[in-house]
Amino acid sequence: MNSRRKKRLTLAVALIAGVAGIASLLIYALNSNLNLFYTPYEIVNGKPDTGDKPEVGQRIRVGGMVTLGSMVRDPDSLHVEFAIHDILGGEIIVTFDDLLPDLFREGQGIVAQGVLTEPGVLQATEVLAKHDENYMPPEVAEAMGQSHEKLDYSEQTQSEGYKYN
């Protein structure tokens, strides 16, 4: 093998190794930032079709209704704990150490994002409350068994605002 072919072979091997390294780092980064959506029932019992449950330490999003009478606030800090449930009967505890959204209240649909610290307990880093009475995120609406209403911009007028279908 002459030196020219050796250089080409070395360059090709280095190029393939570099592309493989970049691809593996990209896949690792995407997997570590992936937030899967679950309902409380799926966290407790697993997904109905596959039986997969989230693992402790996994970063997830969970949506459901805040259980009435479940909210407990720490008077000395921003720490709050509450339970969320869905229509299938699953219930989990969510802990949160920051200010809750203004629209947050018991009996309302929310989406919480965070890390599962133990089975059935989510340490939330973000809590989102639905922003009005007519809209619910599609994932939460599906999980709660409600139809998702969408805005019809074609029927909007200056004086009437938005209409819902």
Side-chain angles (χ1 to χ4, degrees), residues 64-65 87 107-109 130 132-149:
M65 300 292 279
I87 60 172
Q108 178 178 341
K130 66 180 187 174
D132 70 17
E133 295 303 317
N134 296 317
Y135 176 79
M136 184 177 289
E139 296 135 334
V140 176
E142 183 179 316
M144 298 304 296
Q146 298 176 5
S147 64
H148 174 69
E149 296 179 328

Side-chain angles (χ1 to χ4, degrees), residues 67-87:
T67 305
L68 294 173
S70 67
M71 191 159 51
V72 178
R73 292 183 184 268
D74 182 2
D76 299 328
S77 69
L78 294 175
H79 182 79
V80 64
E81 291 184 9
F82 55 91
I84 61 173
H85 68 279
D86 60 7
I87 60 172

Side-chain angles (χ1 to χ4, degrees), residues 8-163:
R8 284 183 185 168
L9 181 62
T10 304
L11 181 62
V13 169
L15 184 63
I16 291 171
V19 168
I22 289 172
S24 63
L25 288 174
L26 184 63
I27 289 171
Y28 175 76
L30 290 175
N31 282 338
S32 65
N33 289 330
L34 187 63
N35 290 324
L36 299 175
F37 182 82
Y38 290 90
T39 64
Y41 177 83
E42 293 170 341
I43 292 173
V44 174
N45 300 315
K47 294 226 179 228
D49 52 349
T50 62
D52 291 338
K53 286 182 174 181
E55 299 173 6
V56 172
Q58 184 176 350
R59 188 171 176 78
I60 62 171
R61 288 176 43 195
V62 62
M65 300 292 279
V66 179
T67 305
L68 294 173
S70 67
M71 191 159 51
V72 178
R73 292 183 184 268
D74 182 2
D76 299 328
S77 69
L78 294 175
H79 182 79
V80 64
E81 291 184 9
F82 55 91
I84 61 173
H85 68 279
D86 60 7
I87 60 172
L88 297 176
E91 185 173 82
I92 65 162
I93 303 296
V94 177
T95 62
F96 189 56
D97 294 320
D98 205 352
L99 292 174
L100 290 168
D102 291 338
L103 297 174
F104 179 90
R105 65 180 181 272
E106 292 178 340
Q108 178 178 341
I110 64 144
V111 174
Q113 181 173 311
V115 177
L116 202 60
T117 57
E118 55 186 84
V121 179
L122 179 80
Q123 174 62 48
T125 55
E126 184 177 22
V127 174
L128 305 170
K130 66 180 187 174
H131 69 278
D132 70 17
E133 295 303 317
N134 296 317
Y135 176 79
M136 184 177 289
E139 296 135 334
V140 176
E142 183 179 316
M144 298 304 296
Q146 298 176 5
S147 64
H148 174 69
E149 296 179 328
K150 59 184 177 182
L151 287 174
D152 182 3
Y153 293 102
S154 64
E155 296 181 20
Q156 177 189 5
T157 65
Q158 291 280 356
S159 61
E160 293 178 351
Y162 297 110
K163 292 187 179 184

